[in-house]
Amino acid sequence: QVQLVESGGGLVQPGGSLRLSCAASGRTGTSYTHGWFRQAPGKEREFVAAIFRNSGHTYYADSVKGRFTISRDNVKNTLHLQMSSLRPDDTAVYYCAADPRKILSTIRNLDYDYWGQGTQVTVSS
């Protein structure tokens, strides 16, 4: 069984930076696709970024491209999301997800096998 625990959320001013982490227990690592999603109040959960299994190739939503960076520490079994130039519309609960069988065409879909509990990110002055 895989468990995912996010951390690093908080309150930040517009233009600021935050680094989210997602610690994984159980066997995941590079054979899993890992993703970050977010859900703002009153909105559906949406794709933010993913790192594809084995290849390590990364993919981003257009809204965060150039501002966010997803990375994976294979030794510590931890996923990160470095967020810069944050804007108020980045405010949301951020979730990490993992799946061992994802195909590339579905990495933006919500049907990941494992999810964390979420961490709140608030961008406000």
Side-chain angles (χ1 to χ4, degrees), residues 8-62:
L11 174 65
V12 63
Q13 292 187 341
S17 299
L18 272 178
R19 187 191 194 209
L20 304 183
S21 297
C22 174
S25 61
R27 288 182 174 265
T28 56
T30 59
S31 64
Y32 278 58
T33 294
H34 293 87
W36 285 99
F37 291 77
R38 66 186 182 186
Q39 188 166 17
K43 295 188 176 181
E44 295 184 350
R45 193 170 299 189
E46 64 176 6
F47 170 78
V48 174
I51 184 164
F52 193 58
R53 56 187 171 87
N54 299 321
S55 72
H57 292 164
T58 58
Y59 302 87
Y60 297 92
D62 288 344

Side-chain angles (χ1 to χ4, degrees), residues 81-124:
L81 184 69
Q82 178 68 46
M83 306 185 294
S84 303
S85 302
L86 283 161
R87 310 184 305 219
D89 62 357
D90 293 317
T91 295
V93 177
Y94 283 70
Y95 299 88
C96 66
D99 193 301
R101 292 175 297 274
K102 271 287 180 179
I103 60 175
L104 186 57
S105 61
T106 69
I107 60 170
R108 291 173 173 80
N109 297 355
L110 295 175
D111 58 340
Y112 280 68
D113 280 356
Y114 304 103
W115 289 86
Q117 83 290 348
T119 185
Q120 176 71 47
V121 172
T122 302
V123 184
S124 175

Side-chain angles (χ1 to χ4, degrees), residues 55-82:
S55 72
H57 292 164
T58 58
Y59 302 87
Y60 297 92
D62 288 344
S63 59
V64 307
K65 201 172 294 183
R67 300 188 299 123
F68 291 11
T69 302
I70 187 172
S71 63
R72 184 167 55 198
D73 184 331
N74 298 324
V75 173
K76 296 182 178 179
N77 212 15
T78 302
L79 183 72
H80 297 290
L81 184 69
Q82 178 68 46

